[in-house]
Amino acid sequence: MRFPRAWCVLVLTVFLACAAAAAEAGTPEIPNPLATVRPGQWVRYRHSTMYGVAEQKQTVLAVSGDGDERVISIESVMAIEGETVDERTDTITYGAIMEEQRSALADAADLTVTPMIIPFNGRDLPGVRVEFANVDGRFRLVLSDLVPLSGVIRMEEEGEDEPVMELLDFGEQ
């Protein structure tokens, strides 16, 4: 079973769209760790999917260029019940992702950004809670600059019993 590329960058899409909309709305700053990501950084998430509960590890393989021309290579391994179901390397361009997200969230409503301290694995991480609605539903994200790539600690969708995505761990190799 292979997950579509779009699904693998879902979090980047939602996160960057929130950041772009917040900046335009003049709300508090939303963390953007993708702008400073380094090779060797990794994140590990638990996802609720139509296939069951999945675990995903994303590792930054390479970063080149500057500003909007920054190119980031990310290895992603997805497993369900311990069995690898998808393994890929995606390359994204920071500027293209940012532009795509600005247009994707043009119809966002009720955007709120609330600064907070987030307890995570025995640490207190500075971050924000972001809430918004768009054509896909109503979402709540908890974000921190200290979490590589997307900054997402938790993502919830209204009407779902479980988080759509939850951070298990992060670090650097």
Side-chain angles (χ1 to χ4, degrees), residues 62-97:
V63 179
S64 61
D66 292 313
D68 282 354
E69 300 305 313
R70 189 175 170 111
V71 176
I72 305 160
S73 294
I74 304 165
E75 177 186 66
S76 179
V77 178
M78 181 81 68
I80 296 178
E81 296 179 11
E83 181 182 335
T84 299
V85 295
D86 190 26
E87 189 170 353
R88 69 178 69 225
T89 299
D90 289 314
T91 300
I92 60 173
T93 303
Y94 181 77
I97 290 286

PDB file of all heavy atoms in Angstrom, residues 62-97:
ATOM      1  N   ALA A  62      18.942  16.259   3.325  1.00  0.00           N
ATOM      2  CA  ALA A  62      19.795  17.298   2.755  1.00  0.00           C
ATOM      3  C   ALA A  62      19.034  18.610   2.668  1.00  0.00           C
ATOM      4  O   ALA A  62      17.810  18.620   2.530  1.00  0.00           O
ATOM      5  CB  ALA A  62      20.275  16.895   1.356  1.00  0.00           C
ATOM      6  N   VAL A  63      19.775  19.695   2.765  1.00  0.00           N
ATOM      7  CA  VAL A  63      19.224  21.041   2.618  1.00  0.00           C
ATOM      8  C   VAL A  63      20.208  21.836   1.780  1.00  0.00           C
ATOM      9  O   VAL A  63      21.411  21.816   2.036  1.00  0.00           O
ATOM     10  CB  VAL A  63      19.040  21.734   3.986  1.00  0.00           C
ATOM     11  CG1 VAL A  63      18.502  23.136   3.809  1.00  0.00           C
ATOM     12  CG2 VAL A  63      18.132  20.915   4.887  1.00  0.00           C
ATOM     13  N   SER A  64      19.694  22.535   0.752  1.00  0.00           N
ATOM     14  CA  SER A  64      20.570  23.374  -0.069  1.00  0.00           C
ATOM     15  C   SER A  64      19.833  24.647  -0.458  1.00  0.00           C
ATOM     16  O   SER A  64      18.599  24.696  -0.434  1.00  0.00           O
ATOM     17  CB  SER A  64      21.023  22.619  -1.326  1.00  0.00           C
ATOM     18  OG  SER A  64      19.899  22.269  -2.112  1.00  0.00           O
ATOM     19  N   GLY A  65      20.574  25.661  -0.811  1.00  0.00           N
ATOM     20  CA  GLY A  65      19.979  26.923  -1.229  1.00  0.00           C
ATOM     21  C   GLY A  65      19.602  27.793  -0.043  1.00  0.00           C
ATOM     22  O   GLY A  65      19.761  27.415   1.114  1.00  0.00           O
ATOM     23  N   ASP A  66      19.088  28.984  -0.367  1.00  0.00           N
ATOM     24  CA  ASP A  66      18.713  29.957   0.659  1.00  0.00           C
ATOM     25  C   ASP A  66      17.325  30.511   0.379  1.00  0.00           C
ATOM     26  O   ASP A  66      16.848  30.485  -0.755  1.00  0.00           O
ATOM     27  CB  ASP A  66      19.703  31.129   0.674  1.00  0.00           C
ATOM     28  CG  ASP A  66      21.082  30.709   1.147  1.00  0.00           C
ATOM     29  OD1 ASP A  66      21.160  30.019   2.167  1.00  0.00           O
ATOM     30  OD2 ASP A  66      22.075  31.082   0.480  1.00  0.00           O
ATOM     31  N   GLY A  67      16.690  31.034   1.415  1.00  0.00           N
ATOM     32  CA  GLY A  67      15.411  31.717   1.269  1.00  0.00           C
ATOM     33  C   GLY A  67      14.368  30.846   0.606  1.00  0.00           C
ATOM     34  O   GLY A  67      14.255  29.655   0.882  1.00  0.00           O
ATOM     35  N   ASP A  68      13.608  31.456  -0.317  1.00  0.00           N
ATOM     36  CA  ASP A  68      12.550  30.725  -1.017  1.00  0.00           C
ATOM     37  C   ASP A  68      13.094  29.633  -1.931  1.00  0.00           C
ATOM     38  O   ASP A  68      12.359  28.735  -2.332  1.00  0.00           O
ATOM     39  CB  ASP A  68      11.683  31.686  -1.832  1.00  0.00           C
ATOM     40  CG  ASP A  68      10.694  32.438  -0.958  1.00  0.00           C
ATOM     41  OD1 ASP A  68      10.606  32.141   0.252  1.00  0.00           O
ATOM     42  OD2 ASP A  68      10.005  33.322  -1.496  1.00  0.00           O
ATOM     43  N   GLU A  69      14.388  29.706  -2.281  1.00  0.00           N
ATOM     44  CA  GLU A  69      15.004  28.689  -3.136  1.00  0.00           C
ATOM     45  C   GLU A  69      15.553  27.512  -2.335  1.00  0.00           C
ATOM     46  O   GLU A  69      16.152  26.601  -2.893  1.00  0.00           O
ATOM     47  CB  GLU A  69      16.126  29.327  -3.968  1.00  0.00           C
ATOM     48  CG  GLU A  69      15.656  30.451  -4.867  1.00  0.00           C
ATOM     49  CD  GLU A  69      14.530  30.022  -5.801  1.00  0.00           C
ATOM     50  OE1 GLU A  69      14.648  28.951  -6.434  1.00  0.00           O
ATOM     51  OE2 GLU A  69      13.526  30.754  -5.897  1.00  0.00           O
ATOM     52  N   ARG A  70      15.357  27.508  -1.049  1.00  0.00           N
ATOM     53  CA  ARG A  70      15.841  26.435  -0.174  1.00  0.00           C
ATOM     54  C   ARG A  70      15.167  25.114  -0.569  1.00  0.00           C
ATOM     55  O   ARG A  70      13.934  25.026  -0.627  1.00  0.00           O
ATOM     56  CB  ARG A  70      15.508  26.817   1.260  1.00  0.00           C
ATOM     57  CG  ARG A  70      16.096  25.953   2.302  1.00  0.00           C
ATOM     58  CD  ARG A  70      15.747  26.557   3.657  1.00  0.00           C
ATOM     59  NE  ARG A  70      16.083  25.640   4.696  1.00  0.00           N
ATOM     60  CZ  ARG A  70      17.051  25.826   5.566  1.00  0.00           C
ATOM     61  NH1 ARG A  70      17.764  26.924   5.539  1.00  0.00           N
ATOM     62  NH2 ARG A  70      17.307  24.920   6.476  1.00  0.00           N
ATOM     63  N   VAL A  71      15.971  24.093  -0.846  1.00  0.00           N
ATOM     64  CA  VAL A  71      15.480  22.772  -1.255  1.00  0.00           C
ATOM     65  C   VAL A  71      15.773  21.793  -0.122  1.00  0.00           C
ATOM     66  O   VAL A  71      16.901  21.715   0.371  1.00  0.00           O
ATOM     67  CB  VAL A  71      16.159  22.310  -2.559  1.00  0.00           C
ATOM     68  CG1 VAL A  71      15.729  20.902  -2.928  1.00  0.00           C
ATOM     69  CG2 VAL A  71      15.840  23.283  -3.693  1.00  0.00           C
ATOM     70  N   ILE A  72      14.736  21.053   0.281  1.00  0.00           N
ATOM     71  CA  ILE A  72      14.837  20.154   1.427  1.00  0.00           C
ATOM     72  C   ILE A  72      14.457  18.744   0.987  1.00  0.00           C
ATOM     73  O   ILE A  72      13.381  18.542   0.427  1.00  0.00           O
ATOM     74  CB  ILE A  72      13.906  20.628   2.560  1.00  0.00           C
ATOM     75  CG1 ILE A  72      14.222  22.084   2.931  1.00  0.00           C
ATOM     76  CG2 ILE A  72      14.019  19.710   3.774  1.00  0.00           C
ATOM     77  CD1 ILE A  72      13.118  22.791   3.662  1.00  0.00           C
ATOM     78  N   SER A  73      15.357  17.774   1.235  1.00  0.00           N
ATOM     79  CA  SER A  73      15.075  16.361   0.939  1.00  0.00           C
ATOM     80  C   SER A  73      14.713  15.666   2.242  1.00  0.00           C
ATOM     81  O   SER A  73      15.463  15.743   3.219  1.00  0.00           O
ATOM     82  CB  SER A  73      16.279  15.676   0.310  1.00  0.00           C
ATOM     83  OG  SER A  73      16.533  16.237  -0.957  1.00  0.00           O
ATOM     84  N   ILE A  74      13.559  14.981   2.233  1.00  0.00           N
ATOM     85  CA  ILE A  74      13.028  14.352   3.435  1.00  0.00           C
ATOM     86  C   ILE A  74      12.742  12.880   3.166  1.00  0.00           C
ATOM     87  O   ILE A  74      12.004  12.549   2.241  1.00  0.00           O
ATOM     88  CB  ILE A  74      11.712  15.038   3.876  1.00  0.00           C
ATOM     89  CG1 ILE A  74      11.932  16.535   4.081  1.00  0.00           C
ATOM     90  CG2 ILE A  74      11.158  14.382   5.139  1.00  0.00           C
ATOM     91  CD1 ILE A  74      10.637  17.327   4.158  1.00  0.00           C
ATOM     92  N   GLU A  75      13.330  12.016   3.972  1.00  0.00           N
ATOM     93  CA  GLU A  75      13.011  10.589   3.907  1.00  0.00           C
ATOM     94  C   GLU A  75      11.847  10.331   4.853  1.00  0.00           C
ATOM     95  O   GLU A  75      11.845  10.793   5.992  1.00  0.00           O
ATOM     96  CB  GLU A  75      14.202   9.751   4.347  1.00  0.00           C
ATOM     97  CG  GLU A  75      13.890   8.260   4.362  1.00  0.00           C
ATOM     98  CD  GLU A  75      15.030   7.454   4.948  1.00  0.00           C
ATOM     99  OE1 GLU A  75      15.306   7.604   6.157  1.00  0.00           O
ATOM    100  OE2 GLU A  75      15.638   6.699   4.184  1.00  0.00           O
ATOM    101  N   SER A  76      10.861   9.600   4.370  1.00  0.00           N
ATOM    102  CA  SER A  76       9.677   9.311   5.163  1.00  0.00           C
ATOM    103  C   SER A  76       9.420   7.805   5.145  1.00  0.00           C
ATOM    104  O   SER A  76       9.377   7.193   4.075  1.00  0.00           O
ATOM    105  CB  SER A  76       8.474  10.056   4.577  1.00  0.00           C
ATOM    106  OG  SER A  76       7.317   9.785   5.315  1.00  0.00           O
ATOM    107  N   VAL A  77       9.276   7.225   6.334  1.00  0.00           N
ATOM    108  CA  VAL A  77       8.970   5.800   6.454  1.00  0.00           C
ATOM    109  C   VAL A  77       7.690   5.683   7.271  1.00  0.00           C
ATOM    110  O   VAL A  77       7.608   6.181   8.393  1.00  0.00           O
ATOM    111  CB  VAL A  77      10.116   5.025   7.137  1.00  0.00           C
ATOM    112  CG1 VAL A  77       9.745   3.555   7.289  1.00  0.00           C
ATOM    113  CG2 VAL A  77      11.411   5.190   6.365  1.00  0.00           C
ATOM    114  N   MET A  78       6.671   5.022   6.697  1.00  0.00           N
ATOM    115  CA  MET A  78       5.372   4.852   7.333  1.00  0.00           C
ATOM    116  C   MET A  78       5.154   3.366   7.612  1.00  0.00           C
ATOM    117  O   MET A  78       5.399   2.530   6.732  1.00  0.00           O
ATOM    118  CB  MET A  78       4.269   5.362   6.404  1.00  0.00           C
ATOM    119  CG  MET A  78       2.879   5.257   6.950  1.00  0.00           C
ATOM    120  SD  MET A  78       2.425   6.563   8.072  1.00  0.00           S
ATOM    121  CE  MET A  78       2.379   7.957   6.969  1.00  0.00           C
ATOM    122  N   ALA A  79       4.706   3.055   8.834  1.00  0.00           N
ATOM    123  CA  ALA A  79       4.437   1.664   9.200  1.00  0.00           C
ATOM    124  C   ALA A  79       3.076   1.560   9.884  1.00  0.00           C
ATOM    125  O   ALA A  79       2.666   2.464  10.618  1.00  0.00           O
ATOM    126  CB  ALA A  79       5.521   1.142  10.142  1.00  0.00           C
ATOM    127  N   ILE A  80       2.378   0.461   9.614  1.00  0.00           N
ATOM    128  CA  ILE A  80       1.126   0.134  10.289  1.00  0.00           C
ATOM    129  C   ILE A  80       1.323  -1.231  10.933  1.00  0.00           C
ATOM    130  O   ILE A  80       1.724  -2.182  10.257  1.00  0.00           O
ATOM    131  CB  ILE A  80      -0.072   0.129   9.316  1.00  0.00           C
ATOM    132  CG1 ILE A  80      -0.297   1.535   8.760  1.00  0.00           C
ATOM    133  CG2 ILE A  80      -1.329  -0.384  10.015  1.00  0.00           C
ATOM    134  CD1 ILE A  80      -1.416   1.646   7.751  1.00  0.00           C
ATOM    135  N   GLU A  81       1.067  -1.281  12.247  1.00  0.00           N
ATOM    136  CA  GLU A  81       1.259  -2.513  13.011  1.00  0.00           C
ATOM    137  C   GLU A  81       2.654  -3.085  12.795  1.00  0.00           C
ATOM    138  O   GLU A  81       2.832  -4.292  12.635  1.00  0.00           O
ATOM    139  CB  GLU A  81       0.173  -3.531  12.680  1.00  0.00           C
ATOM    140  CG  GLU A  81      -1.209  -3.068  13.078  1.00  0.00           C
ATOM    141  CD  GLU A  81      -2.302  -4.060  12.728  1.00  0.00           C
ATOM    142  OE1 GLU A  81      -1.989  -5.208  12.352  1.00  0.00           O
ATOM    143  OE2 GLU A  81      -3.480  -3.678  12.822  1.00  0.00           O
ATOM    144  N   GLY A  82       3.657  -2.203  12.764  1.00  0.00           N
ATOM    145  CA  GLY A  82       5.044  -2.624  12.651  1.00  0.00           C
ATOM    146  C   GLY A  82       5.502  -2.978  11.246  1.00  0.00           C
ATOM    147  O   GLY A  82       6.680  -3.238  11.019  1.00  0.00           O
ATOM    148  N   GLU A  83       4.608  -3.000  10.275  1.00  0.00           N
ATOM    149  CA  GLU A  83       4.968  -3.344   8.898  1.00  0.00           C
ATOM    150  C   GLU A  83       5.095  -2.077   8.054  1.00  0.00           C
ATOM    151  O   GLU A  83       4.176  -1.258   7.995  1.00  0.00           O
ATOM    152  CB  GLU A  83       3.903  -4.258   8.281  1.00  0.00           C
ATOM    153  CG  GLU A  83       4.233  -4.677   6.869  1.00  0.00           C
ATOM    154  CD  GLU A  83       3.146  -5.550   6.255  1.00  0.00           C
ATOM    155  OE1 GLU A  83       2.398  -6.201   7.004  1.00  0.00           O
ATOM    156  OE2 GLU A  83       3.064  -5.565   5.015  1.00  0.00           O
ATOM    157  N   THR A  84       6.243  -1.905   7.405  1.00  0.00           N
ATOM    158  CA  THR A  84       6.450  -0.738   6.554  1.00  0.00           C
ATOM    159  C   THR A  84       5.501  -0.802   5.367  1.00  0.00           C
ATOM    160  O   THR A  84       5.469  -1.790   4.639  1.00  0.00           O
ATOM    161  CB  THR A  84       7.912  -0.669   6.059  1.00  0.00           C
ATOM    162  OG1 THR A  84       8.759  -0.548   7.202  1.00  0.00           O
ATOM    163  CG2 THR A  84       8.131   0.522   5.141  1.00  0.00           C
ATOM    164  N   VAL A  85       4.701   0.253   5.206  1.00  0.00           N
ATOM    165  CA  VAL A  85       3.733   0.299   4.115  1.00  0.00           C
ATOM    166  C   VAL A  85       4.102   1.362   3.087  1.00  0.00           C
ATOM    167  O   VAL A  85       3.544   1.377   1.987  1.00  0.00           O
ATOM    168  CB  VAL A  85       2.291   0.542   4.630  1.00  0.00           C
ATOM    169  CG1 VAL A  85       1.822  -0.632   5.468  1.00  0.00           C
ATOM    170  CG2 VAL A  85       2.189   1.844   5.396  1.00  0.00           C
ATOM    171  N   ASP A  86       5.013   2.244   3.440  1.00  0.00           N
ATOM    172  CA  ASP A  86       5.437   3.275   2.503  1.00  0.00           C
ATOM    173  C   ASP A  86       6.798   3.796   2.931  1.00  0.00           C
ATOM    174  O   ASP A  86       7.027   4.065   4.103  1.00  0.00           O
ATOM    175  CB  ASP A  86       4.426   4.429   2.471  1.00  0.00           C
ATOM    176  CG  ASP A  86       4.681   5.411   1.341  1.00  0.00           C
ATOM    177  OD1 ASP A  86       5.278   5.014   0.318  1.00  0.00           O
ATOM    178  OD2 ASP A  86       4.285   6.576   1.481  1.00  0.00           O
ATOM    179  N   GLU A  87       7.690   3.914   1.967  1.00  0.00           N
ATOM    180  CA  GLU A  87       9.018   4.463   2.222  1.00  0.00           C
ATOM    181  C   GLU A  87       9.390   5.288   0.997  1.00  0.00           C
ATOM    182  O   GLU A  87       9.302   4.797  -0.123  1.00  0.00           O
ATOM    183  CB  GLU A  87      10.021   3.326   2.440  1.00  0.00           C
ATOM    184  CG  GLU A  87      11.361   3.805   2.910  1.00  0.00           C
ATOM    185  CD  GLU A  87      12.262   2.649   3.344  1.00  0.00           C
ATOM    186  OE1 GLU A  87      11.810   1.483   3.403  1.00  0.00           O
ATOM    187  OE2 GLU A  87      13.431   2.915   3.605  1.00  0.00           O
ATOM    188  N   ARG A  88       9.734   6.544   1.214  1.00  0.00           N
ATOM    189  CA  ARG A  88      10.007   7.420   0.081  1.00  0.00           C
ATOM    190  C   ARG A  88      10.921   8.558   0.497  1.00  0.00           C
ATOM    191  O   ARG A  88      11.052   8.856   1.675  1.00  0.00           O
ATOM    192  CB  ARG A  88       8.732   7.990  -0.489  1.00  0.00           C
ATOM    193  CG  ARG A  88       8.072   8.978   0.472  1.00  0.00           C
ATOM    194  CD  ARG A  88       6.821   9.640  -0.024  1.00  0.00           C
ATOM    195  NE  ARG A  88       5.770   8.668  -0.122  1.00  0.00           N
ATOM    196  CZ  ARG A  88       4.959   8.589  -1.165  1.00  0.00           C
ATOM    197  NH1 ARG A  88       5.031   9.426  -2.145  1.00  0.00           N
ATOM    198  NH2 ARG A  88       4.028   7.681  -1.217  1.00  0.00           N
ATOM    199  N   THR A  89      11.480   9.214  -0.505  1.00  0.00           N
ATOM    200  CA  THR A  89      12.211  10.453  -0.297  1.00  0.00           C
ATOM    201  C   THR A  89      11.534  11.516  -1.141  1.00  0.00           C
ATOM    202  O   THR A  89      11.344  11.336  -2.340  1.00  0.00           O
ATOM    203  CB  THR A  89      13.699  10.308  -0.714  1.00  0.00           C
ATOM    204  OG1 THR A  89      14.290   9.289   0.096  1.00  0.00           O
ATOM    205  CG2 THR A  89      14.445  11.610  -0.516  1.00  0.00           C
ATOM    206  N   ASP A  90      11.111  12.593  -0.484  1.00  0.00           N
ATOM    207  CA  ASP A  90      10.480  13.720  -1.169  1.00  0.00           C
ATOM    208  C   ASP A  90      11.415  14.913  -1.108  1.00  0.00           C
ATOM    209  O   ASP A  90      12.133  15.109  -0.126  1.00  0.00           O
ATOM    210  CB  ASP A  90       9.155  14.099  -0.498  1.00  0.00           C
ATOM    211  CG  ASP A  90       8.067  13.076  -0.739  1.00  0.00           C
ATOM    212  OD1 ASP A  90       7.912  12.648  -1.893  1.00  0.00           O
ATOM    213  OD2 ASP A  90       7.377  12.712   0.224  1.00  0.00           O
ATOM    214  N   THR A  91      11.399  15.703  -2.160  1.00  0.00           N
ATOM    215  CA  THR A  91      12.160  16.952  -2.193  1.00  0.00           C
ATOM    216  C   THR A  91      11.164  18.084  -2.346  1.00  0.00           C
ATOM    217  O   THR A  91      10.317  18.054  -3.237  1.00  0.00           O
ATOM    218  CB  THR A  91      13.163  16.936  -3.369  1.00  0.00           C
ATOM    219  OG1 THR A  91      14.046  15.824  -3.183  1.00  0.00           O
ATOM    220  CG2 THR A  91      13.969  18.221  -3.392  1.00  0.00           C
ATOM    221  N   ILE A  92      11.258  19.043  -1.436  1.00  0.00           N
ATOM    222  CA  ILE A  92      10.352  20.188  -1.486  1.00  0.00           C
ATOM    223  C   ILE A  92      11.166  21.472  -1.600  1.00  0.00           C
ATOM    224  O   ILE A  92      12.306  21.534  -1.167  1.00  0.00           O
ATOM    225  CB  ILE A  92       9.433  20.243  -0.250  1.00  0.00           C
ATOM    226  CG1 ILE A  92      10.252  20.365   1.031  1.00  0.00           C
ATOM    227  CG2 ILE A  92       8.522  19.031  -0.208  1.00  0.00           C
ATOM    228  CD1 ILE A  92       9.403  20.600   2.267  1.00  0.00           C
ATOM    229  N   THR A  93      10.572  22.468  -2.211  1.00  0.00           N
ATOM    230  CA  THR A  93      11.186  23.791  -2.302  1.00  0.00           C
ATOM    231  C   THR A  93      10.401  24.718  -1.392  1.00  0.00           C
ATOM    232  O   THR A  93       9.173  24.843  -1.527  1.00  0.00           O
ATOM    233  CB  THR A  93      11.174  24.322  -3.747  1.00  0.00           C
ATOM    234  OG1 THR A  93      11.854  23.370  -4.565  1.00  0.00           O
ATOM    235  CG2 THR A  93      11.855  25.672  -3.853  1.00  0.00           C
ATOM    236  N   TYR A  94      11.083  25.324  -0.464  1.00  0.00           N
ATOM    237  CA  TYR A  94      10.451  26.142   0.569  1.00  0.00           C
ATOM    238  C   TYR A  94       9.510  27.194  -0.019  1.00  0.00           C
ATOM    239  O   TYR A  94       8.357  27.288   0.378  1.00  0.00           O
ATOM    240  CB  TYR A  94      11.532  26.802   1.430  1.00  0.00           C
ATOM    241  CG  TYR A  94      10.979  27.651   2.531  1.00  0.00           C
ATOM    242  CD1 TYR A  94      10.472  27.065   3.684  1.00  0.00           C
ATOM    243  CD2 TYR A  94      10.954  29.037   2.433  1.00  0.00           C
ATOM    244  CE1 TYR A  94       9.953  27.837   4.707  1.00  0.00           C
ATOM    245  CE2 TYR A  94      10.436  29.816   3.447  1.00  0.00           C
ATOM    246  CZ  TYR A  94       9.938  29.208   4.582  1.00  0.00           C
ATOM    247  OH  TYR A  94       9.427  29.977   5.587  1.00  0.00           O
ATOM    248  N   GLY A  95       9.961  27.976  -0.987  1.00  0.00           N
ATOM    249  CA  GLY A  95       9.147  29.041  -1.570  1.00  0.00           C
ATOM    250  C   GLY A  95       7.892  28.513  -2.249  1.00  0.00           C
ATOM    251  O   GLY A  95       6.815  29.090  -2.122  1.00  0.00           O
ATOM    252  N   ALA A  96       8.021  27.402  -2.963  1.00  0.00           N
ATOM    253  CA  ALA A  96       6.862  26.818  -3.655  1.00  0.00           C
ATOM    254  C   ALA A  96       5.830  26.317  -2.650  1.00  0.00           C
ATOM    255  O   ALA A  96       4.628  26.517  -2.835  1.00  0.00           O
ATOM    256  CB  ALA A  96       7.310  25.680  -4.563  1.00  0.00           C
ATOM    257  N   ILE A  97       6.284  25.685  -1.577  1.00  0.00           N
ATOM    258  CA  ILE A  97       5.374  25.206  -0.536  1.00  0.00           C
ATOM    259  C   ILE A  97       4.668  26.393   0.113  1.00  0.00           C
ATOM    260  O   ILE A  97       3.453  26.371   0.324  1.00  0.00           O
ATOM    261  CB  ILE A  97       6.132  24.383   0.526  1.00  0.00           C
ATOM    262  CG1 ILE A  97       6.601  23.059  -0.053  1.00  0.00           C
ATOM    263  CG2 ILE A  97       5.285  24.167   1.769  1.00  0.00           C
ATOM    264  CD1 ILE A  97       5.535  22.021  -0.273  1.00  0.00           C
TER     265      ILE A  97
END
